[in-house]
Amino acid sequence: MSQQENPKYLWWNHRIIPWEEATVHLTDYWWASVTAVFEGIRGYWNNAEGEMYIFRLEDHARRLEQSMQLIRMPKEFTVDEICQATIDLVRANDYRGDVYIMPLAYAVGNKAFSVVGDRTTEMFIYSRPAVSRLEEDFSLHACYSSWTRINERVLPPRIKALANYRNSQLASSEAAMNGYDTALFLNPEGKVAEGTGSCVFFVRKGKLITPDITSGILESITRDTVIHLAREVLGLEVEERVVDRTETYLADEAFLCGTHAEITPIASIDRHEMKHGAPGPITRQLRDIYREVVYGRDFRYRNWLTPVGMGVRAEQ
Ligand SMILES: *Cc1c(COP(=O)(O)O)cnc(C)c1O
């Protein structure tokens, strides 16, 4: 990334600072990243209104607080502060397009693995332009990874931690080496878990099916959004349950979902093609509804959106 492409500001430990000033010593770097928990949040630019809407900001801040609690990090930041800091940062960087926002909390102190004791929590929030793909028709070919999904006995998948991504990295690299676009994970019981950074849905006989919350998945906010929209807008039946690998080979449609992935249609799994194509008709409908919701054009779900107030520039 070139210097010009860096955002002007980021937020670090209670204040907005110029990008260049956000440095840590090299020897602190990996100690901090071992403990790091984070969030991925999107802001959608509504051009007609000249406004940026941050999607489910408070839910993301609450999940970050949960991750920090589960890691036993000293509590230094409140949900309210994280929300306000995110709004202030996006406004300061003065975007006129969709953005991705990443708050990341980490423990600093005595360089021991335990975060208990002589430790404090630090946090930064970073934002960058990230164009939505919700207008695009595209799809991915997926495979089941030979790597097993992390689980509650080893690295709890419920915690959104940087360290968990070692698991995803192995699966993504393997998938790419074998000529696939993306990977799906099975859990230690051999049941379907999720993607490499997204949850997964299948459509079968008009019903939406997704692995339940104890299948080794992250408690995804997009997954929750999709369940709401499927039931409330499309009147679909949604099953959250244990899902078999072979069952997914017989699916009519499949898609990944996540803040970063948005709604990503899957064309095939282990070269079994989805019967209704990709994006299939239900995937397409859900994607279109999701798009109208996140941009604030569907007024039924405006309570999920936080307007940044782009008309008003932040004071520096
Ligand atoms: C962030 C993430 C997701 C998606 O969660 P959202 O809340 O929808 O963004 C799914 N799986 C993993 C492993 C993740 O880290």
Side-chain angles (χ1 to χ4, degrees), residues 40 60 63 149 160 165 194 197-199 218 220-223 257-259:
H60 281 282
R63 191 172 61 189
R149 176 70 181 145
K160 198 169 174 80
Y165 273 73
E194 63 172 325
S198 51
C199 285
L218 184 92
S220 153
I221 292 166
T222 317
R223 175 183 177 280
C257 79
T259 299

Side-chain angles (χ1 to χ4, degrees), residues 9-311:
Y9 300 105
L10 54 71
W11 186 94
W12 196 19
N13 297 330
H14 310 291
R15 57 196 192 96
I16 289 178
I17 57 166
W19 169 268
E20 294 75 21
E21 288 176 22
T23 55
V24 294
H25 194 266
L26 185 61
T27 55
D28 289 336
Y29 170 72
W30 88 265
W31 298 100
S33 50
V34 167
T35 63
V37 292
F38 72 105
E39 275 303 317
I41 307 171
R42 271 189 193 260
Y44 288 92
W45 174 250
N46 181 318
N47 204 40
E49 293 182 29
E51 181 60 289
M52 178 84 78
Y53 289 108
I54 302 178
F55 191 57
R56 299 191 68 169
L57 174 58
E58 197 177 321
D59 293 316
H60 281 282
R62 282 194 195 293
R63 191 172 61 189
L64 184 57
E65 189 180 51
Q66 274 172 33
S67 294
M68 291 194 283
Q69 178 198 330
L70 294 172
I71 295 251
R72 300 188 188 280
M73 275 186 188
K75 196 174 160 159
E76 294 277 341
F77 304 90
T78 64
V79 166
D80 282 352
E81 187 182 10
I82 298 164
C83 290
Q84 192 59 49
T86 304
I87 294 166
D88 293 345
L89 178 68
V90 170
R91 216 191 280 172
N93 279 325
D94 201 25
Y95 293 107
R96 292 289 182 274
D98 306 333
V99 292
Y100 192 76
I101 308 150
M102 186 172 149
L104 188 146
Y106 55 97
V108 289
N110 58 17
K111 296 191 178 177
F113 282 116
S114 167
V115 301
V116 179
D118 178 24
R119 282 280 178 149
T120 52
T121 304
E122 296 199 346
M123 186 186 295
F124 72 81
I125 307 177
Y126 159 59
S127 63
R128 63 173 168 84
V131 178
S132 166
R133 298 191 73 182
L134 289 167
E135 295 282 354
E136 263 177 71
D137 269 354
F138 72 107
S139 60
L140 304 182
H141 294 280
C143 61
Y144 281 106
S145 182
S146 72
W147 299 98
T148 299
R149 176 70 181 145
I150 53 167
N151 67 88
E152 193 77 3
R153 292 181 199 215
V154 184
L155 279 173
R158 184 167 282 99
I159 305 173
K160 198 169 174 80
L162 277 193
N164 294 357
Y165 273 73
R166 173 61 60 80
N167 190 218
S168 305
Q169 185 189 49
L170 288 167
S172 297
S173 305
E174 180 191 49
M177 301 257 317
N178 292 336
Y180 295 94
D181 303 315
T182 194
L184 297 172
F185 277 116
L186 300 175
N187 63 26
E189 287 71 46
K191 305 299 183 181
V192 180
E194 63 172 325
T196 54
S198 51
C199 285
V200 63
F201 280 87
F202 306 94
V203 177
R204 218 180 152 202
K205 298 172 187 162
K207 270 194 252 172
L208 211 53
I209 300 162
T210 193
D212 65 280
I213 221 83
T214 59
S215 286
I217 68 168
L218 184 92
E219 292 186 352
S220 153
I221 292 166
T222 317
R223 175 183 177 280
D224 178 70
T225 303
V226 167
I227 291 171
H228 272 283
L229 299 179
R231 285 187 178 140
E232 293 162 16
V233 182
L234 295 183
L236 289 179
E237 207 178 309
V238 183
E239 292 181 357
E240 295 178 68
R241 59 166 172 81
V242 171
V243 178
D244 280 334
R245 175 180 190 157
T246 48
E247 186 183 7
T248 69
Y249 291 163
L250 302 174
D252 299 323
E253 303 175 36
F255 62 91
L256 298 170
C257 79
T259 299
H260 191 264
E262 303 181 297
I263 308 276
T264 297
I266 295 175
S268 69
I269 303 174
D270 289 343
R271 304 292 178 207
H272 291 279
E273 282 183 21
M274 298 298 102
K275 286 192 186 53
H276 295 174
I282 289 176
T283 306
R284 198 184 288 268
Q285 282 184 65
L286 280 166
R287 181 198 61 191
D288 291 350
I289 296 162
Y290 185 80
R291 188 185 60 229
E292 296 309 294
V293 166
V294 296
Y295 282 103
R297 295 190 291 252
D298 186 330
F299 281 75
R300 290 171 292 186
Y301 294 93
R302 280 283 265 233
N303 58 336
W304 274 339
L305 308 188
T306 302
V308 166
M310 280 311 240

